Amino acid sequence: MQLIKKIVTIPRIFYLFIPIIIIIFLAINLSTNSVEISSIEFIGEATLAKGLTFQKTEVGGLSGITYDAKNSLYYAISDDRGQKANARLYTLTIDLSKGFLQQGRVVPVSVTTLLNENSQTFSPGETDTEGIALTNKATVFISSEGDAAKLINPFIKEFLLSSGREIATLPIPNKLFTDKSGQQGIRNNLAFESLTITPDKKHLFTATENALIQDGVAAKPNIGSPCRILQYNLLNNQPEKEFLYQTEPVSPFLNLTGKFASGLPDLLALDNQGHFLSLERSFTGLGFAISLFQISLEGSDDIHQIDSLLAVDSKNIKPVQKKLLLDLRTLDVLLDNIEGLTLGPKLPDGQQSLILISDNNFNSLQRTQILAFKLKIETPLIRLLRRLLPNLNR
């Protein structure tokens, strides 16, 4: 009789283990390092003093920012073309120890002049440095838009943080170079604003801010623009893939000035599986429209062999997937020209911080604005558990 009871109880135990076995199987087969942002919360703002000078330079034009977690420092690139001072980057501290950002908590601590491969400063007008990304070798990659009007090509170069000296240059695909006929290449001031490196430090990504001339129109009121995201392999420093990114159409509100600009000024790699934050920024004639998206390269077509999107049926090309996370116009904040973003440290409650920074264009009417956010990030395993256990505490 006891033997019969044991035989009967075996299936019941087996049934209890089935869900556990399924979860373990799915967890093994999921990319556990991939992430998804489930919520974003604004946690404060700070601005630098107008006309602030530091170590004999005017602090401004901060177009890109990257975080050094090892040293709790931020590196911000200025897009000064050598008119105010030599091409340079700033080292900043941003204090989020209280779980929020407040005025006076952003402090410049050093400035590094950028030097070319011959240890010389760049000539005025030679650079338009916009993007910056930190490696694990005490170096940063920096992107420059160049000057299409003067046929000065864009670049992506690696610099030593210790001295600011250039040590490497990444090759740029020929289709991005502007020719004398003006029929191909980047548009002036609409090139490499963005720069980011995956957490495993194996890939670097940048993007054109608007369409190449041969790919389509630049952004206009109520019309987006087809940008290209470029993927580089940092094991050999070669470009290997490109993806189509379509910016959102933006409607100007009471555009009394007649000026309009819209595009993709920065990207931020969230994991090694092709998930990013993207920042879209528009000047609408009356203030700025800023939006944050989570994007995925999964299922997107590689277009690096297509020299012109206008020469093919682009309707058959699968662009990157986009999901709107936040329209910053919904915040109770007067927005400035936000162009850069980076993940910061973990906050006291364990959640991930995000920092945005604005380029004041060295304009007395604008500000260097720093915005801080709290991100709630979930791995595929956590998302799976929430589906299986809806009442799981968030």
Side-chain angles (χ1 to χ4, degrees), residues 7 36 56 84 120 126 203 215 231 254 321 329 344:
I7 295 174
E36 181 173 315
K56 299 180 181 180
K84 301 284 185 178
Q120 302 295 314
E126 186 179 355
H203 292 95
D215 280 347
Q231 174 181 319
L254 195 63
Q321 303 172 53
R329 289 176 295 184

Side-chain angles (χ1 to χ4, degrees), residues 211-274:
L212 299 179
I213 294 171
Q214 69 270 26
D215 280 347
V217 299
K220 300 178 181 179
N222 303 303
I223 298 175
S225 186
C227 307
R228 287 182 186 245
I229 295 177
L230 284 71
Q231 174 181 319
Y232 282 83
N233 186 332
L234 291 182
L235 300 180
N236 59 17
N237 281 359
Q238 295 297 310
E240 56 183 10
K241 294 181 180 180
E242 296 175 18
F243 304 93
L244 174 61
Y245 180 104
Q246 184 71 42
T247 66
E248 298 300 304
V250 175
S251 301
F253 175 73
L254 195 63
N255 191 348
L256 301 177
T257 65
K259 295 181 179 180
F260 180 86
S262 186
L264 173 62
D266 213 355
L267 292 169
L268 176 61
L270 294 172
D271 55 34
N272 305 317
Q273 284 75 39

Side-chain angles (χ1 to χ4, degrees), residues 86-317:
N86 291 318
R88 61 200 181 276
L89 67 86
Y90 291 92
T91 303
L92 310 171
T93 59
I94 301 176
D95 185 0
L96 297 175
S97 60
K98 295 183 179 179
F100 57 88
L101 179 63
Q102 59 187 144
Q103 189 65 21
R105 297 296 182 174
V106 180
V107 180
V109 294
S110 68
V111 58
T112 303
T113 299
L114 301 182
L115 305 174
N116 63 21
E117 57 187 351
N118 298 318
S119 297
Q120 302 295 314
T121 58
F122 289 92
S123 301
E126 186 179 355
T127 67
D128 181 12
T129 46
E130 300 277 1
I132 186 169
L134 180 69
T135 73
N136 56 1
K137 302 179 295 182
T139 66
V140 287
F141 278 95
I142 292 174
S143 62
S144 170
E145 290 195 295
D147 190 331
K150 297 179 180 178
L151 298 182
I152 298 175
N153 290 323
F155 68 64
I156 303 171
K157 295 179 182 290
E158 186 177 9
F159 296 85
L160 292 169
L161 280 170
S162 59
S163 64
R165 183 174 62 84
E166 171 192 336
I167 60 171
T169 300
L170 302 187
I172 307 295
N174 287 332
K175 60 176 165 289
L176 278 83
F177 293 146
T178 305
D179 60 12
K180 293 181 180 180
S181 69
Q183 299 301 306
Q184 77 155 40
I186 58 171
R187 289 179 162 90
N188 196 43
N189 207 34
L190 293 173
F192 298 152
E193 284 259 1
S194 57
L195 207 62
T196 188
I197 296 176
T198 52
D200 62 10
K201 306 302 180 183
K202 292 182 179 179
H203 292 95
L204 175 146
F205 291 82
T206 186
T208 60
E209 189 179 357
N210 266 209
L212 299 179
I213 294 171
Q214 69 270 26
D215 280 347
V217 299
K220 300 178 181 179
N222 303 303
I223 298 175
S225 186
C227 307
R228 287 182 186 245
I229 295 177
L230 284 71
Q231 174 181 319
Y232 282 83
N233 186 332
L234 291 182
L235 300 180
N236 59 17
N237 281 359
Q238 295 297 310
E240 56 183 10
K241 294 181 180 180
E242 296 175 18
F243 304 93
L244 174 61
Y245 180 104
Q246 184 71 42
T247 66
E248 298 300 304
V250 175
S251 301
F253 175 73
L254 195 63
N255 191 348
L256 301 177
T257 65
K259 295 181 179 180
F260 180 86
S262 186
L264 173 62
D266 213 355
L267 292 169
L268 176 61
L270 294 172
D271 55 34
N272 305 317
Q273 284 75 39
H275 299 102
F276 301 80
L277 281 181
S278 70
L279 176 68
E280 294 190 25
R281 177 275 327 269
S282 303
F283 177 69
T284 64
L286 188 65
F288 293 91
I290 313 291
S291 294
L292 282 171
F293 296 85
Q294 177 159 345
I295 70 170
S296 173
L297 303 184
E298 183 179 358
S300 304
D301 290 328
D302 178 8
I303 60 172
H304 81 276
Q305 293 184 328
I306 301 175
D307 288 340
S308 169
L309 294 178
L310 292 177
V312 300
D313 187 356
S314 59
K315 293 180 181 179
N316 294 326
I317 297 174

